[in-house]
Amino acid sequence: MQTSPSPTVFEVRLMPKALCLFSLVASILVVSLFLLDAVAGLAGMTSLAPLGYASLMMDITFVVLGGILIYLSWSTYREQR
């Protein structure tokens, strides 16, 4: 019967940090996308809005939730040090 191999140093130490950084970058992209959509839509330039300014409420919701995810990702990354 074979046992599973022990985790490598990369899996134990670097993977949680990499996942935190990936989550941080992804949430920054989400906030930037929806913030740009809201600003362009409110300025009357709907042709420049990446999502076509579909809903201001949706833009505000995703910016706020993305900001919360940025905070959570950053605080978790700091704990990983």
Side-chain angles (χ1 to χ4, degrees):
M1 183 163 145
Q2 291 182 341
T3 60
S4 61
S6 62
T8 63
V9 173
F10 177 75
E11 293 172 346
V12 172
R13 293 185 182 164
L14 296 179
M15 190 58 80
K17 290 180 183 181
L19 290 174
C20 288
L21 287 176
F22 178 76
S23 174
L24 183 65
V25 169
S27 56
I28 288 171
L29 289 174
V30 166
V31 168
S32 300
L33 180 72
F34 282 95
L35 190 62
L36 178 63
D37 188 62
V39 169
L42 289 173
M45 299 180 289
T46 56
S47 62
L48 293 178
L51 302 174
Y53 191 60
S55 169
L56 181 61
M57 182 59 91
M58 180 182 68
D59 291 338
I60 292 171
T61 302
F62 275 98
V63 167
V64 169
L65 294 177
I68 291 170
L69 186 58
I70 288 172
Y71 169 73
L72 291 174
S73 299
W74 179 250
S75 63
T76 304
Y77 177 73
R78 286 189 317 184
E79 288 179 9
Q80 295 294 323
R81 292 186 190 182

